[in-house]
Structure formats: structure tokens, C-alpha cells
């Protein structure tokens, strides 16, 4: 079975659109997301455009602030401070990566916790690990929703996560653990990775290496979530971290690239923006 991320994302967005419409009528204003892009990275330009399009589709007001690659750290921090203080802005997202002369951690920490739609602020990260109210990061949240939509309950299953990034690997491992899976967190330097991945009933791959997981590395019936967004070095075509052609025949369910995790990340960003909007009226405890 192919897990149709596009379709699952479309139904989540429809749900969010309905709630946005109801909440806007009740509160007398519309949720608003502000995205900041520093520099001209072409991939980032595509990502911020897709975020703006998704906002339009669900009725969330949106604004993208384009700042030049020469923007100083203090100029960016000043812009964030202004948006933190602006009551019409519910969510703030700074597209990563930022240029090297800007300290990424400082930027992430500058965004108000209750406007942090990415869930990257240290207090939101702490909330995930301590099970207190928090904004959940979009990609891991989307992965859990994909599993649920595919009818896969992680409870009691052996889940293997390849990749230990702050954005995907670490938080998705924690979410799988909280869903009562037994989780192995490994990475590209793991010794004898195939012996680990063959034990997986759920395999989440966020390694950033094109087609790294091949058919011989998985067991029959595995559920595979491919977080990769790579270019095939041979064909130049978009591909994932999983070699779809050899893994799909053994998998009971698998996400394609593109059309799997990517659309869910954006749909969850819309949901997070709505949650920030509601929290601004009803308090942070509801996050
Ligand atoms: N760059 C790549 N993925 C992300 C993301 O989820 N959020 C932000 N802000 N930047 C990114």
C-alpha cells in the first residue's frame, strides 16, 4: 500500500479550513502566519511559496518577508521582536537554513514560544520531552498522522528511526516512544545498519542520503516513512532516502517521494498556526 500523503494532507487542510472559518467568525479576525526568508536560496523560495499557497487554501492570512542575504543578525532579531509584539500575527516562521553569519539558535530562541509554529523553540522542545503543553514540530507530527491514517498503531511495535536531527529524528523518536513503540534511534554511522533496520516493523528514514535504504535492508511487512527530499545523483530526479523500487515490494505500506511526508508537513504547519491563534484567545495551556 502506498500512503498517499497528498490526499491525507488535503483532508487535514479541509478540516483546518473549516475550523479557521468557524474560529474567525467567533473571534472577529483571521489567523495570520508571517514567514521570513533571508537570502535567495532557490529551494527555500519554493518552500516559502508553498507555505503561502497552503495558507491561502485554508483561509489563513499570510505574509512573507523577504530579507536580503546581507541582512545582519540584529536586523533579523529586530524584525522578529516587532512580529512578537504585533497582536495581529499568530505564527512566525523563519525559513531555515539562515545565512552562515546569522546564529540560528539565537533566531529560534527569539521567536515567542506561543508564536513558534515550527515547534523549534527550546521551551517547545522541552514540552515535547517533558510531556507538558507545547507546539509540536510539523514533520514529526505529520509522520504520526500518516501512520494513523494508514491504520498503523505504533503500540507494541519495533520502530527504527534513522537520523538524529533536532527537526525530525529526535522528536519523531520521542513521539513514537510516547505512542508505546519500542524505538531504536540510529544514524548513517551506525555499525551494521542493515541488521538494525531488518528488525524494524516501522522504519522512519530521515538521513538525507539518496536511496540509502535498499530492499535487502528491510523485512517483509515493514511500514516505511521516507522523510528524504534528495536528488538522484544518476538521473537528477527528485528521490527519497529510500530506494522505492526495491523496498516497496517488501513493505506493507510506504510513503512516496514526492507526495508523502512533504505535503503533511505543510498541512501540520496550517494546523499549528490555527492552534497558535486559538491559544492567543484561550491561553497557552491549550497548546
Ligand atoms: N527548512 C527545512 N525545513 C524547515 C522547517 O520545517 N521549518 C523551517 N523554518 N525551515 C525549514
Amino acid at each position: 500500500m502506498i500512503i498517499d500523503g497528498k490526499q491525507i494532507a488535503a483532508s487535514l487542510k479541509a478540516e483546518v479550513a473549516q475550523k479557521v472559518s468557524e474560529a474567525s467568525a467567533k473571534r472577529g479576525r483571521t489567523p495570520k502566519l508571517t514567514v521570513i526568508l533571508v537570502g535567495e536560496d532557490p529551494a527555500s523560495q519554493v518552500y516559502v511559496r508553498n507555505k503561502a499557497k497552503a495558507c491561502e487554501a485554508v483561509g489563513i492570512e499570510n505574509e512573507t518577508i523577504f530579507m536580503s542575504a546581507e541582512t545582519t543578525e540584529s536586523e533579523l532579531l529586530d524584525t522578529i521582536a516587532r512580529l512578537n509584539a504585533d497582536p495581529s500575527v499568530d505564527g512566525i516562521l523563519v525559513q531555515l537554513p539562515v545565512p552562515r553569519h546569522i546564529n540560528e539558535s539565537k533566531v529560534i530562541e527569539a521567536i515567542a514560544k506561543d508564536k513558534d509554529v515550527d515547534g523549534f523553540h527550546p521551551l517547545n522542545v522541552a514540552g515535547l520531552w517533558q510531556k507538558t503543553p507545547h507546539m509540536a514540530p510539523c514533520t514529526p507530527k505529520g509522520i504520526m498522522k500518516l501512520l494513523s491514517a494508514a491504520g498503523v498503531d505504533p503500540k507494541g511495535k519495533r520502530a527504527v528511526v534513522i537520523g538524529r536531527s533536532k527537526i525530525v529524528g529526535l522528536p519523531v523518536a520521542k513521539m513514537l516512544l510516547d505512542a508505546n513503540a519500542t524505538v531504536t534511534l540510529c544514524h548513517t554511522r551506525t555499525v551494521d545498519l542493515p541488521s538494525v533496520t531488518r528488525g524494524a516493523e516501522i522504519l522512519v528514514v530521515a538521513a538525507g542520503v539518496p536511496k540509502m535504504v535498499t530492499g535487502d535492508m528491510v523485512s517483509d511487512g515493514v511500514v516505511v516513512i521516507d522523510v528524504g527530499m534528495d536528488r538522484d545523483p544518476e538521473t537528477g530526479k527528485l528521490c527519497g532516502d529510500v530506494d522505492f523500487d526495491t523496498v516497496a515490494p517488501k513493505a506493507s505500506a510506504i510513503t512516496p517521494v514526492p507526495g508523502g511526508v512533504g505535503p503533511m508537513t505543510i498541512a501540520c504547519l496550517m494546523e499549528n498556526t490555527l492552534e497558535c491563534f486559538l491559544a492567543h484567545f484561550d491561553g497557552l495551556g491549550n497548546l
Side-chain angles (χ1 to χ4, degrees):
M1 178 184 65
I2 291 180
I3 303 174
D4 188 344
K6 249 177 134 165
Q7 152 108 56
I8 298 163
S11 63
L12 175 57
K13 280 194 284 185
E15 220 177 275
V16 171
Q18 176 66 31
K19 287 183 187 162
V20 164
S21 154
E22 287 165 8
S24 304
K26 186 169 166 202
R27 314 293 189 176
R29 72 172 180 89
T30 311
K32 178 174 175 183
L33 173 66
T34 298
V35 175
I36 302 175
L37 173 60
V38 185
E40 282 93 38
D41 176 64
S44 293
Q45 286 176 338
V46 174
Y47 292 141
V48 302
R49 206 176 312 132
N50 287 341
K51 287 166 186 172
K53 272 196 223 161
C55 284
E56 266 139 46
V58 302
I60 290 178
E61 200 183 319
N62 67 96
E63 161 192 43
T64 306
I65 300 177
F66 295 95
M67 302 181 84
S68 88
E70 287 76 42
T71 301
T72 64
E73 185 178 282
S74 69
E75 282 169 337
L76 178 56
L77 294 177
D78 286 349
T79 302
I80 292 169
R82 175 176 66 76
L83 296 168
N84 283 342
D86 182 343
S88 75
V89 174
D90 299 288
I92 304 168
L93 182 151
V94 176
Q95 185 66 29
L96 302 177
V98 285
R100 291 238 299 268
H101 66 275
I102 297 176
N103 181 327
E104 185 178 286
S105 299
K106 269 196 192 172
V107 171
I108 289 171
E109 286 168 31
I111 296 171
K113 174 194 183 249
D114 64 328
K115 298 192 178 188
D116 172 33
V117 285
D118 265 328
F120 293 168
H121 189 284
L123 291 172
N124 282 320
V125 176
L128 170 65
W129 290 86
Q130 297 178 348
K131 292 204 206 180
T132 51
H134 63 279
M135 185 56 51
C138 302
T139 299
K141 189 178 185 184
I143 291 169
M144 299 307 289
K145 287 180 189 282
L146 284 175
L147 289 173
S148 166
V152 179
D153 181 0
K155 184 178 176 185
K157 297 210 170 58
R158 290 185 304 272
V160 172
V161 177
I162 310 178
R164 49 186 157 173
S165 73
K166 282 189 291 190
I167 293 183
V168 183
L170 290 175
V172 82
K174 171 65 166 138
M175 288 181 192
L176 286 162
L177 199 58
D178 288 345
N180 299 310
T182 299
V183 182
T184 303
L185 184 49
C186 54
H187 45 84
T188 52
R189 292 181 180 85
T190 295
V191 174
D192 197 7
L193 188 58
S195 72
V196 179
T197 53
R198 279 186 209 116
E201 294 167 284
I202 296 171
L203 179 61
V204 179
V205 193
V209 181
K211 298 187 173 181
M212 191 190 81
V213 172
T214 46
D216 58 306
M217 292 171 67
V218 299
S219 293
D220 284 333
V222 64
V223 174
V224 181
I225 304 289
D226 187 350
V227 190
M229 184 60 79
D230 316 303
R231 292 270 164 203
D232 185 328
E234 281 164 28
T235 65
K237 276 178 35 181
L238 206 58
C239 74
D241 292 353
V242 173
D243 181 32
F244 190 89
D245 294 343
T246 60
V247 172
K250 297 178 84 173
S252 61
I254 184 168
T255 58
V257 176
V261 174
M264 275 314 277
T265 296
I266 293 204
C268 287
L269 175 65
M270 299 301 104
E271 188 178 64
N272 280 1
T273 306
L274 171 63
E275 282 176 20
C276 283
F277 172 80
L278 294 173
H280 288 151
F281 293 97
D282 302 334
L284 278 180
N286 296 315
L287 274 186

